[in-house]
Amino acid sequence: ETGVTQSPTHLIKTRGQQVTLRCSSQSGHNTVSWYQQALGQGPQFIFQYYREEENGRGNFPPRFSGLQFPNYSSELNVNALELDDSALYLCASSSTGPETQYFGPGTRLLVL
Amino acid sequence: ELKVEQNPLFLSMQEGKNYTIYCNYSTTSDRLYWYRQDPGKSLESLFVLLSNGAVKQEGRLMASLDTKARLSTLHITAAVHDLSATYFCAVISTGNQFYFGTGTSLTVIP
């Protein structure tokens, strides 16, 4: 059984650019959630996808968007990057129900 | 907006001692999660608490949930250095939004 994987591990972008982060969920999991974790803070919920549909969204602007594919992998897209978008982006997968989420290693994004 | 508060934010304790981390949340939630994060690493699931009065134990860690008081505790027994990490609690609200606390940074001193 493979765990949650994310790519890339690190990324440097400049303000105004666009970025796509990728996540492969754990085998058998149909739900993927994305989080932003700024340095020294707890993860902030961005959104969740269940069977290719958005299933919940946190307080993030529309320039944060996502996709989930039929194999349940997922992408997070951020347009018009701002300096404050610099953070660790975590994806987590889970199966249906209240079971826990399993987190990937994260993508560290730096916006200059 | 649901708020999740943890205290203390920073905890330094000696090996062998006991301590409790508290997690309060502001609105009704029937699920509470505890995670551990080592520096520069991702989050590791520790416990999922699904009902009032739930208690779960793993090694030197024990978590409990009181949904009426909107309070969860993570109790550390006879701390060892390997437990040094940041601990987060998280709740899920209606609309499948997850809210994490600010974390408790634990340092266990030999």
Side-chain angles (χ1 to χ4, degrees):
Chain A
E1 181 181 280
T2 57
V4 180
T5 60
Q6 290 185 244
S7 63
T9 55
H10 296 82
L11 203 51
I12 300 175
K13 292 284 189 178
T14 55
R15 267 189 314 178
Q17 285 189 311
Q18 178 266 344
V19 69
T20 297
L21 309 182
R22 295 179 175 83
C23 171
S24 292
S25 58
Q26 186 163 315
S27 177
H29 288 180
N30 54 20
T31 303
V32 173
S33 302
W34 285 92
Y35 297 85
Q36 180 195 68
Q37 186 178 24
L39 200 60
Q41 297 185 20
Q44 300 292 312
F45 176 68
I46 304 175
F47 43 56
Q48 181 185 85
Y49 278 83
Y50 169 66
R51 292 188 175 179
E52 303 177 60
E53 297 286 332
E54 189 177 285
N55 191 41
R57 188 177 181 95
N59 295 325
F60 279 81
R63 61 190 184 85
F64 285 79
S65 63
L67 281 174
Q68 188 179 30
F69 300 101
N71 66 355
Y72 302 134
S73 65
S74 178
E75 284 183 356
L76 164 65
N77 298 290
V78 187
N79 293 322
L81 283 166
E82 301 177 0
L83 297 179
D84 285 349
D85 295 334
S86 296
L88 178 68
Y89 287 84
L90 295 163
C91 117
S93 74
S94 58
S95 55
T96 307
E99 291 81 11
T100 193
Q101 302 175 88
Y102 294 87
F103 281 81
T107 293
R108 196 165 294 280
L109 173 65
L110 177 61
V111 182
L112 301 175
Chain B
E1 180 179 305
L2 192 154
K3 291 189 190 236
V4 183
E5 295 181 341
Q6 289 181 237
N7 71 82
L9 297 182
F10 298 93
L11 176 57
S12 180
M13 57 191 296
Q14 284 190 311
E15 277 191 334
K17 299 292 187 183
N18 304 332
Y19 209 84
T20 300
I21 298 170
Y22 297 89
C23 173
N24 288 91
Y25 51 98
S26 60
T27 63
T28 302
S29 178
D30 57 0
R31 298 181 225 168
L32 190 131
Y33 304 81
W34 282 98
Y35 293 90
R36 167 185 172 142
Q37 187 174 37
D38 291 296
K41 304 286 187 182
S42 189
L43 279 79
E44 174 192 351
S45 175
L46 295 174
F47 301 108
V48 182
L49 302 169
L50 298 176
S51 61
N52 186 42
V55 177
K56 290 199 174 177
Q57 182 163 5
E58 180 73 34
R60 300 174 187 276
L61 300 177
M62 183 173 71
S64 66
L65 178 62
D66 181 344
T67 57
K68 293 179 182 176
R70 298 176 185 165
L71 171 69
S72 179
T73 61
L74 180 66
H75 187 73
I76 302 155
T77 301
V80 293
H81 180 69
D82 284 353
L83 290 179
S84 296
T86 298
Y87 293 85
F88 291 97
C89 63
V91 298
I92 181 169
S93 71
T94 54
N96 293 314
Q97 289 196 46
F98 289 81
Y99 292 88
F100 277 77
T102 49
T104 295
S105 177
L106 170 66
T107 303
V108 180
I109 303 166

